[in-house]
Amino acid sequence: MTESVARSRSLADEAAALDAADPLAGKRAEFDLDDAVAYFDGNSLGAPPKHVAQRLTEVVREQWGGRLIRSWNDGWWDAPQRIGDRIAPLVGAAAGQVVVADSTTVDLFKTLVAAVRANPGRDEILVDAGTFPTDGYVADQVARLTGHALRRVPVAELADAVSERTAAVLVNHVDYVSGRLHDMPSVTDAVQAAGAFAVWDLCHSVGAIPVRLDECAVDFAVGCTYKFLNGGPGSPAFVYVAQRHQAEFDQPLAGWAGHADPFAMEDGYRGSAGIARARAGTPDMLSMLALDAALDVWDGVDLAVLRAKGLALGDFFFQCLDELLPGAEVPTPRDHARGHQISVCDPGGQQTMDALHRQGVLGDFRPPDVLRFGLAPLYTTYGEVLRAVTTLHGLR
């Protein structure tokens, strides 16, 4: 037996033992996954829970088809707040502070404009230098429309960069390329100590790690639902507005859904009380209710257990790399200051990821040379981690 085969067998035994002891192992059966595929792209598009298709059929046939227009009064109109309250525990928020509405991009725009409007007399917005492109694009346009200057600053330097000029700071909780987890409590404290508002992008952390918005006294946050929350392609995003800021949340998209009395058809706009004022247009009910169904898989899930498994999956990924691909360049932190993805630099880039796809290992690629492997604790197995690294090893 060669040394390489012996290492692989040892890792296979370890993976089998870890999977057998996994407290979340039963959750995988709730997802519609092909066992021939090892899925590592839940950080871009989560896998579908099995029951969502049937629930949507009921929505189309019984609610849309049966109740027709009456469905708006049967629960559709209030769904954004109701589903927001289902997401609230996943982001460490009390009820009444999260609403599901619009896309991540639209929610970022609404929230960042509201943040700078709530902090007059300051002429600057900061955004983390490694931000997801959409965040940067939106921040550029908000600065342009509001007359603010925009500065891009590495997260590690934000505490020194924020000043009495800064109205708001937009930060990604988890870096989308490296998977690095940024320190929400310390960054928020530094931003607020300078009198600025902290706006957090939770797209790569919600549903992956425990988020503690209330505990960290975060001002505003946005997040998507189609990644680790498994809401489906294009499922609506959410906005968090801390209770203390809701009365002053003056967002720029004054649509009828955020009106204090939407069916009064008044000429002038009056913002709704509470979190509903973060709404804008008519909600996309099919996507909204698909998300509502998908959130059922979170019932009874202990987020501490979820986090422990996500970190353990990452640790095992590193172990497999060390034994099968020693010397691989990995920008993801080895310590636990990371989200639930492992990024591996590979000179083959997209060609390597395409080859992995052909062998049933589905991750994704980010330029110039980063292969990303998302680890969704509700359904990713240790055996799949080994398969990913073994397949990558075979391509080198």
Side-chain angles (χ1 to χ4, degrees):
M1 183 186 302
T2 67
E3 183 178 351
S4 176
V5 171
R7 286 200 301 268
S8 295
R9 287 189 178 179
S10 175
L11 288 170
D13 290 342
E14 185 169 353
L18 288 167
D19 281 327
D22 176 12
L24 294 175
K27 280 290 175 182
R28 183 182 173 90
E30 297 181 30
F31 290 86
D32 193 3
L33 284 164
D34 181 355
D35 288 334
V37 171
Y39 190 57
F40 292 97
D41 216 2
N43 53 328
S44 286
L45 176 63
K50 288 180 177 177
H51 66 280
V52 171
Q54 178 60 37
R55 190 78 62 82
L56 272 181
T57 297
E58 294 170 2
V59 168
V60 171
R61 291 181 176 173
E62 299 175 14
Q63 297 180 29
W64 182 13
R67 295 293 293 167
L68 293 168
I69 194 68
R70 294 170 292 183
S71 290
W72 286 111
N73 294 325
D74 291 347
W76 282 6
W77 187 257
D78 295 329
Q81 292 99 293
R82 177 177 59 81
I83 300 171
D85 280 344
R86 296 194 70 188
I87 292 173
L90 301 178
V91 295
Q97 298 179 103
V98 178
V99 66
V100 177
D102 308 307
S103 69
T104 306
T105 302
V106 172
D107 285 345
L108 277 168
F109 177 75
K110 293 187 301 187
T111 304
L112 194 54
V113 170
V116 299
R117 284 178 171 177
N119 210 356
R122 292 168 176 251
D123 64 356
E124 175 184 74
I125 299 169
L126 302 184
V127 62
D128 77 78
T131 192
F132 189 78
T134 284
D135 298 49
Y137 305 154
V138 169
D140 280 336
Q141 291 303 312
V142 170
R144 177 183 172 192
L145 290 168
T146 61
H148 286 70
L150 180 71
R151 280 202 294 149
R152 294 173 180 249
V153 179
V155 176
E157 299 173 18
L158 280 174
D160 293 327
V162 66
S163 72
E164 69 280 354
R165 292 184 52 200
T166 310
V169 180
L170 175 58
V171 194
N172 285 253
H173 197 193
V174 172
D175 183 273
Y176 81 103
V177 175
S178 69
R180 177 175 293 279
L181 173 66
H182 294 131
D183 189 339
M184 181 177 284
S186 66
V187 172
T188 300
D189 286 349
V191 168
Q192 293 174 344
F197 289 138
V199 182
W200 285 89
D201 181 330
L202 309 178
C203 287
H204 290 85
S205 57
V206 62
I209 65 175
V211 181
R212 300 180 175 88
L213 296 179
D214 285 353
E215 182 180 318
C216 295
V218 166
D219 299 298
F220 309 99
V222 297
C224 67
T225 63
Y226 50 78
K227 299 181 190 296
F228 290 110
L229 290 186
N230 313 299
S235 59
F238 64 88
V239 175
Y240 164 89
V241 181
Q243 186 73 44
R244 65 187 182 278
H245 294 313
Q246 289 181 7
E248 63 192 6
F249 190 81
D250 181 16
Q251 60 118 328
L253 299 180
W256 79 307
H259 195 281
D261 190 357
F263 297 97
M265 305 301 172
E266 298 175 2
D267 290 338
Y269 182 79
R270 293 184 294 117
S272 175
I275 192 62
R277 70 191 303 132
R279 295 174 61 172
T282 304
D284 182 339
M285 290 314 304
L286 297 183
S287 290
M288 183 82 63
L289 296 178
L291 168 63
D292 190 25
L295 291 172
D296 290 352
V297 299
W298 292 95
D299 292 345
V301 173
D302 184 330
L303 295 184
V305 173
L306 181 90
R307 178 61 168 158
K309 182 184 175 184
L311 290 172
L313 285 166
D315 291 342
F316 187 61
F317 204 114
F318 277 114
Q319 182 182 343
C320 293
L321 286 171
D322 289 343
E323 297 199 28
L324 299 177
L325 286 171
E329 183 181 352
V330 182
T332 307
R334 281 184 174 263
D335 62 20
H336 288 176
R338 63 175 188 258
H340 289 173
Q341 75 179 56
I342 302 296
S343 297
V344 180
C345 294
D346 184 276
Q350 185 65 64
Q351 290 183 330
T352 299
M353 185 52 68
D354 290 344
L356 287 168
H357 278 215
R358 287 193 292 271
Q359 298 190 48
V361 176
L362 305 188
D364 66 15
F365 166 72
R366 291 293 180 267
D369 60 355
V370 175
L371 311 179
R372 300 194 314 167
F373 299 88
L375 308 172
L378 293 187
Y379 53 79
T380 303
T381 69
Y382 295 91
E384 289 174 326
V385 168
L386 176 57
R387 177 180 171 184
V389 180
T390 301
T391 305
L392 184 58
H393 168 74
L395 295 174
R396 292 194 172 185

